[in-house]
Amino acid sequence: MRTLNILTFLISFSSFSQSIQKVDLKKVEILNSTALALLDNSAAIISSNPDVKEFNINTESLESISFDGNLFSSNMRGLEYYGLGTKTKEIKSFTMQKMQMPSVSGAYSKNDSIAKVAVGIKFNVFTLYNASSEDMREKYASMRQKLKKLIALANDQMEREGYKIGEDEDEAKKYNARFEEVLEELIKNESGIEAKNFSDILKAPLLTLDIASAYSMLMPAKDFNKSQSGRFGAWSTLTFTLGKGDEHLKLYGFCRYIQDNTDYDSKSKKFTNQTNFFDIGSKAQFDWNKISVGYEYIKRNGDGKNYRSVGFVQYKVSDNLYVTGGFGKNFESALNDETVSLLGIRWGINAKDSRNWE
């Protein structure tokens, strides 16, 4: 019986000691929908998500919904997820490894007479972290070493408090529960033990470049057999971040090409007259813990002059649920309202909320 109790404890202890040496992905951002951005039916078109949850649902209005995901990162360890290689010595401040984990997107939007279906894909071309490669490797190695030392300190404190593995399962559970409390308290009181310095670097990269592409179809809301080409778009977003961790200012630069078949011909009662647009825009967004506020302006050139001027606000209800809003002027279009007044939710999950670092 005693052997069984000890085995139970060791398994539990091993699991816990490993868990604190994993990267926590619960606070990773919920993805902004690439497909909805093509339709201009989103609170914010300009966005950057170098790190995303594996599956997301966006309902930014009563008329549209999108399903977005990162299907290629489910088996990646923590360092790989952030594009930092597989071992400590491979960590570098500049990485292009995230190209291997694109996010894919699908959206459906409908008004009284027209339905739109869109698909999209986004890649992070490169990420430059706000620290030198050597500094990042040192912070990461220090984090792992401190965790090992604190486990040893927790064992010492358990002995001083007189805790021993008991003869039955209940006593083993009490020992394990107290050990977790002691270790968590030591972690809390130790400066930087939760990899705060290291994780703050990962949360707010200094510079990122994303590229994206999307395609949409139009169809009468009551007759899906009469579908036709809607839009094709390709764009890039450069993001510069000032600050670290959960409090930072992001500045975005944005350019986009759109081939548009959504001009409405009242005589033929069809969407025809292919047009080409070139959008250039910028955005500023301030993130402060659970609240994000921003403003974006996009100038449209090409076959028609137009612009979009929209304010954006987001509140994080929990790690997996955001409430978003967008208010302002949208591009003029036969398919979209000129006024943006969107209030919706974003919901995202990971199959696993933590990964082994390496």
Side-chain angles (χ1 to χ4, degrees), residues 22-66:
K22 295 181 179 181
V23 56
D24 182 0
L25 299 181
K26 292 192 292 294
K27 294 185 178 181
V28 169
E29 282 188 78
I30 295 177
L31 183 69
N32 293 295
S33 175
T34 304
L36 284 181
L38 175 71
L39 302 177
D40 295 336
N41 193 18
S42 178
I45 292 176
I46 303 175
S47 64
S48 173
N49 298 87
D51 308 307
V52 299
K53 292 183 182 294
E54 290 176 41
F55 180 74
N56 308 263
I57 296 177
N58 289 288
T59 56
E60 298 200 15
S61 75
L62 296 176
E63 298 178 345
S64 63
I65 185 171
S66 73

Side-chain angles (χ1 to χ4, degrees), residues 31-36 49 52-58 66-73 99-107 118-124 211-214:
L31 183 69
N32 293 295
S33 175
T34 304
L36 284 181
N49 298 87
V52 299
K53 292 183 182 294
E54 290 176 41
F55 180 74
N56 308 263
I57 296 177
N58 289 288
S66 73
F67 301 90
D68 311 270
N70 186 331
L71 306 179
F72 306 93
S73 67
M99 282 284 287
Q100 62 185 305
M101 42 190 289
S103 60
V104 294
S105 177
V119 293
I121 188 167
K122 180 189 286 188
F123 296 86
N124 175 247
I211 57 172
S213 182

